[in-house]
Amino acid sequence: MIDINVPGFRHFQLSHLVLDYNGTLAIDGRLMPQAGEILAALAEVLQIHVITADTFGLAQGELAGLPLSLTIAPPENQAATKLAYITDLGTERVVAIGNGRNDRQMLKAAALGIALVQREGGAVETLVSADVIATSILDALELLRQPRRLVATLRS
């Protein structure tokens, strides 16, 4: 669990990290360099889940051996599927990271939503639904390893 108190915002007790895959952890279906190492380190304090439409069909192979749960979402109603997934986990204990329009509801409902704008871009609705915006998955994941960065960004 990661325990973070952000003055003037909220107190987080995070147990689950839920991530999109393409555009978030991967570019063109390939896992971003160093992302696997950071995920493995975070798995010591968070349960890690990847939920994806798997556009390129590479997620299972790219994530093999990492300590995480992979769910391939059906092509229809992806936003609702992702929202239901984190609701089942307990939204108050979830940090969610994504970039696509199908991530917007998940980021809004999660205790902490982090939107990304990388090479694939980021959907405007998703950016507006997030608490924090990052420009790389490595930076987003490091926010969880260095929680004072979140405090500096979110305090009021």
Side-chain angles (χ1 to χ4, degrees):
M1 179 173 62
I2 296 176
D3 193 298
I4 309 165
N5 186 36
V6 180
F9 186 61
R10 68 177 297 180
H11 182 207
F12 297 101
Q13 292 182 314
L14 304 169
S15 301
H16 301 277
L17 169 58
V18 179
L19 304 115
D20 172 49
Y21 185 69
N22 286 300
T24 299
L25 282 173
I27 299 296
D28 298 329
R30 298 290 178 193
L31 185 64
M32 300 283 282
Q34 301 175 358
E37 296 166 26
I38 298 173
L39 288 174
L42 284 171
E44 296 179 15
V45 293
L46 295 170
Q47 291 182 16
I48 300 177
H49 312 260
V50 175
I51 182 165
T52 177
D54 200 17
T55 303
F56 296 92
L58 300 172
Q60 186 171 8
E62 290 287 307
L63 297 171
L66 291 174
L68 56 78
S69 169
L70 173 63
T71 300
I72 308 297
E76 53 285 323
N77 302 316
Q78 290 177 8
T81 298
K82 289 182 176 190
L83 176 60
Y85 190 92
I86 70 161
T87 300
D88 288 345
L89 294 174
T91 56
E92 70 282 354
R93 297 207 177 271
V94 171
V95 53
I97 304 176
N99 75 305
R101 188 168 177 274
N102 64 0
D103 298 317
R104 72 192 185 284
Q105 294 175 4
M106 175 177 74
L107 268 59
K108 185 171 185 69
L112 177 62
I114 302 173
L116 292 177
V117 181
Q118 299 182 113
R119 287 149 121 196
E120 190 177 290
V124 171
E125 290 176 76
T126 301
L127 299 178
V128 172
S129 298
D131 298 299
V132 176
I133 298 171
T135 57
S136 89
I137 186 59
L138 302 181
D139 290 344
L141 295 173
E142 284 298 324
L143 290 173
L144 301 173
R145 290 178 38 162
Q146 304 291 331
R148 288 186 189 171
R149 294 177 186 175
L150 281 170
V151 172
T153 298
L154 294 173
R155 67 181 169 221
S156 57

